[in-house]
Amino acid sequence: MPGFEIFGDEERKQVQDVLDTGVLFRYGFDAVRQDHWKAKTFERELAERMGVAHCHLCSSGTAALSIALAACGVGAGDEVIVPPFTFVASFESILTAGAVPVFADIDETLCLDPRAVEAGLSSRTKAVVVVHMCGAMARIDEIQSLCDRKGVVLIEDACQSVGASFNGKALGTFGRMGCYSFDPVKTITCGEGGAVVTNDDQRYELAHAFADHGHDHIGSDRGAEQHPIIGYNYRISELNAAVGLAQLRKLDTILAMQREHKSALKTAMGSFPNISFRCLPDEAGDSATFLSFMLPDEKSARQAARDLNGAGVDGCFYWYDNNWHYLKKWHHLKQMKSAAKLPAQLFDHCPDYSRVELPRSDAVMARTISMQIKLGWTAEQIEQRISRMKEVLTR
Ligand SMILES: Cc1ncc(COP(=O)(O)O)c(C=O)c1O
């Protein structure tokens, strides 16, 4: 994903401000920082952009997930429903919280199927972490009303979908907390960074404290602050926040370019026989970082992925064989290989992940290819891509 494609003077200026003051810490040093508050400014502008009361910037999207789980009260022994098509951070953050990931099927949205979520609920379910994959939305309205009805916490992982929306409302703002990533390959980047957003004042205070060793952030003497809870260090530096601030101000330009490029490709591909597209509950809200399409069966999808690559159509991902994004190849999880014993292993309700079978998700993923949308493509490059794709996909 492309924020890095358009680094320029804006990022350089923000970073230079920080270097000029020498204050790389996001808190304090009021007298020397010459009023540069990069993390705080980013938080205010992101909250405004997403239409939400609070934002806390942190060191990564993975950190954001850990913070959200903690602030929403998810801990030892709780079950958390997650999809099998996601990034490894989903189960890592749940396991490090001491909780137990429970996998539920996805559907052709490439995100959790609300019916599978309902079927996966148990008396131990504390939360559902819905993951808005590849730039676009889950059936978030249905999942939100299910969670409300069942009294289960909804957390949104919108790490891959910054700037996307459903019916005009930003992804990440439907659940009790939403998480974003600004790592080097996300829509906009801090180098490394992430954020949590929420409308809940109490969750925000807990998140802010948890992400900074439990500090209450009251007063101007950090050494005298109280620690209402035990926390950890998930802070972001001012240097990373500075890069992100310049990128955030380019978000709408990035989205417009992606949408234009994706629309040209999708319109052309609409006439290819045997190709269908990912189901989008609100196509207008797609951030258009990827164009995800399906072939009739696994054999033809596998062949198409190989042929596209061979024809120089780069950035086409066949997730079904991917080590990071689909459960099938998470051998370390299946064998519960970890540096030290995990709390989940103490609970007899921890599933044997080597036996988890999700044939409905397999049936979707085996047929799906996602093509990355780049900002830097010229009109000629898009035309060339279309003609190469036509050659490969209509053979
Ligand atoms: C869906 C999803 N969640 C969480 C993360 C973790 O973000 P980060 O790399 O900033 O820790 C990623 C990163 O790729 C992701 O794709």
Side-chain angles (χ1 to χ4, degrees), residues 105-107 113-116 326 357-365:
D105 268 311
I106 58 159
D107 60 20
D113 174 349
R115 287 168 309 161
Y326 193 58
E357 300 278 346
L358 295 163
R360 288 179 43 229
S361 304
D362 287 348
V364 174
M365 295 314 298

Side-chain angles (χ1 to χ4, degrees), residues 60-62 65 86-87 89 131 133 157 159-160 181 183 186 193 325:
S60 68
T62 309
L65 288 168
T86 177
F87 179 59
V131 187
M133 284 301 280
D157 177 339
C159 286
Q160 294 195 5
S181 165
D183 78 18
K186 290 300 183 288
H325 288 285

